[in-house]
Amino acid sequence: MDVRWKFVKDKAIQTLEKYGVQFFPFDLIKFVSGFQNVKLLSYADMSALLNNKGMKTNSEWVKDNLADGSNDAALIKMSNNDGRIIIYNDDNTQNINRRIRFSIAHEIGHIILEHPFVTCIARNGYVEKRNYGSYEVEANTFAQCFLLPTPMITINDTIESLSQKFDVSKEVAKISLSIFKNQRYWGWPTKKKLNFSLLPRKYQTLKNNYVPLWFNGFLAYCKKCYALSLIRTDGNYCSHCDSQNIDIFPINEDFVLNERFGRNIMIYENYESDQNGKLLKCIRCNNEQLDNDQNFCSICGAPIRNTCSGILSENVVYPLAPPESPCETVLSPNARFCHICGSKSIFYCAKILENKIDLPVDEDDLPF
């Protein structure tokens, strides 16, 4: 079977238009939810689902037994109905979010292009080897145009700019830019003028500069003020506005966070600290000679370890009774409130934290 380059590219654009995509990068999780009889589950979610049915599995079992050993994703067919499940490896110690996005788009390509093995696991011999290779190339080609349509590239774009704007890997950006610059006929869809807009995400760049390598806690996203907070333990309150309207994500399973909220994040300045929560440099006077045995800067007297103060926030409504003393939770240096009890932080009380430095995009009405 010959690869249908032009047909595949056109299918990618038609699919984007059919399902109402308006902005790039778009939410793949929300996109798949619009498919009939198709579900999207991580390896961990699939394992939990099977365990609830009495099986004993884990993510590694799902990879080996349902995804044919794939570290990326797979498409499987339900045995008792027409349903299909895209399962993907959400462990970001193995996969970065941009690779996960491409893997899911690849499986979407198999569905849209109606490849014959969407009803089975093809690697086990259901499709001739020669045709299987062509189907894989088509799915990759679909994913590339689906996530980064060639007509949206401009003459000033670079690999780095495309990777950031469309939330794709540098390899995908490199291939797309090569197709654009060389004006390869087969690489372009028939439709050259597209009505899509760009609304880049902040999360990928933010995470690279925001999360210390030693950190092994949670990310808390506030749906009221759009702040992203680092918290060491599960919590109840936003560290920046003390709202209880938050979603918690384990630090190593942040693909869902990136898809749902990646572009709509309030950026607060962060400050480097060690694993015990002590600053590496005083926020108030920039003194770097900080004594590990002290909790205050020897130059200006400002606190250098942010913890819960126990001083109640005016905005928190306590369900039973407010705390009688500080819970002594160690907080991130830029936390204004304790994520456990909602009390003000030591740094906030000392008035050494700066105000908000950026505003989120209002995207309440965006379909993706």
Side-chain angles (χ1 to χ4, degrees):
M1 171 186 164
D2 294 330
V3 175
R4 303 166 294 174
W5 300 103
K6 199 78 171 176
F7 171 80
V8 171
K9 296 277 185 171
D10 286 342
K11 273 292 188 180
I13 300 302
Q14 291 164 12
T15 302
L16 292 168
E17 293 176 336
K18 177 181 178 180
Y19 286 91
V21 171
Q22 296 180 14
F23 295 88
F24 279 80
F26 57 92
D27 183 345
L28 271 177
I29 296 174
K30 192 170 184 177
F31 183 91
V32 174
S33 70
F35 280 177
Q36 187 175 5
N37 298 325
V38 178
K39 291 189 177 296
L40 179 65
L41 296 174
S42 68
Y43 287 3
D45 289 338
M46 190 65 180
S47 173
L49 185 65
L50 294 173
N51 290 342
N52 288 337
K53 294 182 179 296
M55 298 178 64
K56 293 183 179 180
T57 69
N58 54 29
S59 295
E60 196 68 20
W61 185 95
V62 171
K63 183 185 80 171
D64 293 339
N65 292 274
L66 297 181
D68 199 27
S70 173
N71 281 321
D72 298 312
L75 182 63
I76 59 178
K77 171 73 169 60
M78 300 299 290
S79 60
N80 58 349
N81 57 50
D82 294 331
R84 288 160 290 181
I85 304 175
I86 297 174
I87 54 175
Y88 65 92
N89 186 359
D90 60 335
D91 183 353
N92 67 5
T93 61
Q94 301 180 41
N95 279 342
I96 61 172
N97 286 334
R98 288 170 177 172
R99 179 168 176 168
I100 296 173
R101 299 191 81 240
F102 186 85
S103 298
I104 293 173
H106 174 102
E107 303 303 335
I108 292 173
H110 283 313
I111 296 174
I112 296 298
L113 299 172
E114 299 182 349
H115 289 157
F117 57 86
V118 296
T119 58
C120 60
I121 297 178
R123 301 181 186 89
N124 292 331
Y126 291 90
V127 176
E128 291 182 14
K129 185 175 181 179
R130 179 175 64 87
N131 287 342
Y132 171 70
S134 296
Y135 294 144
E136 287 297 290
V137 172
E138 286 193 349
N140 282 339
T141 302
F142 177 94
Q144 176 266 314
C145 190
F146 185 67
L147 297 177
L148 202 172
T150 308
M152 293 188 70
I153 300 175
T154 69
I155 194 170
N156 295 321
D157 274 319
T158 64
I159 293 174
E160 187 64 39
S161 70
L162 289 174
S163 178
Q164 178 59 33
K165 286 192 295 187
F166 289 88
D167 204 5
V168 296
S169 69
K170 290 184 178 179
E171 184 62 26
V172 171
K174 180 180 178 181
I175 293 172
S176 301
L177 190 60
S178 174
I179 292 170
F180 173 82
K181 288 185 174 180
N182 294 327
Q183 295 292 311
R184 296 173 181 169
Y185 169 79
W186 55 266
W188 285 70
T190 302
K191 193 171 184 178
K192 301 295 192 298
K193 188 174 182 180
L194 306 178
N195 296 318
F196 303 130
S197 301
L198 272 173
L199 198 57
R201 291 171 171 168
K202 300 175 182 178
Y203 177 66
Q204 287 291 346
T205 300
L206 176 63
K207 183 188 175 188
N208 293 338
N209 301 309
Y210 193 80
V211 183
L213 293 176
W214 52 261
F215 188 78
N216 189 31
F218 298 86
L219 289 165
Y221 178 77
C222 178
K223 290 183 282 188
K224 178 183 177 182
C225 76
Y226 309 111
L228 186 66
S229 308
L230 296 180
I231 56 178
R232 295 170 181 247
T233 59
D234 200 354
N236 306 300
Y237 299 91
C238 171
S239 298
H240 298 284
C241 75
D242 68 15
S243 167
Q244 291 182 280
N245 190 14
I246 60 173
D247 283 343
I248 307 294
F249 301 87
I251 193 67
N252 64 337
E253 298 176 6
D254 59 348
F255 170 71
V256 176
L257 168 63
N258 184 52
E259 289 303 297
R260 291 182 176 171
F261 310 118
R263 70 165 58 89
N264 207 9
I265 289 178
M266 177 81 79
I267 299 177
Y268 291 84
E269 186 173 1
N270 200 21
Y271 309 95
E272 289 188 271
S273 66
D274 62 21
Q275 297 187 45
N276 297 315
K278 287 196 175 181
L279 294 171
L280 302 185
K281 181 170 67 175
C282 176
I283 296 175
R284 180 175 287 165
C285 71
N286 293 323
N287 173 30
E288 297 182 6
Q289 304 299 317
L290 301 178
D291 192 332
N292 288 332
D293 296 327
Q294 296 181 350
N295 289 320
F296 299 91
C297 174
S298 59
I299 301 298
C300 70
I304 57 175
R305 189 168 182 261
N306 201 16
T307 59
C308 174
S309 71
I311 299 175
L312 305 184
S313 166
E314 299 82 0
N315 300 323
V316 174
V317 178
Y318 295 95
L320 297 176
E324 296 181 356
S325 60
C327 67
E328 299 183 350
T329 301
V330 177
L331 309 175
S332 292
N334 64 356
R336 292 157 172 76
F337 301 94
C338 174
H339 60 274
I340 300 295
C341 70
S343 298
K344 296 178 181 179
S345 74
I346 291 292
F347 282 10
Y348 187 64
C349 292
K351 299 181 179 180
I352 60 174
L353 291 177
E354 297 295 329
N355 291 326
K356 303 168 184 177
I357 62 172
D358 199 3
L359 292 174
V361 176
D362 184 3
E363 56 168 338
D364 289 343
D365 298 325
L366 297 189
F368 296 103

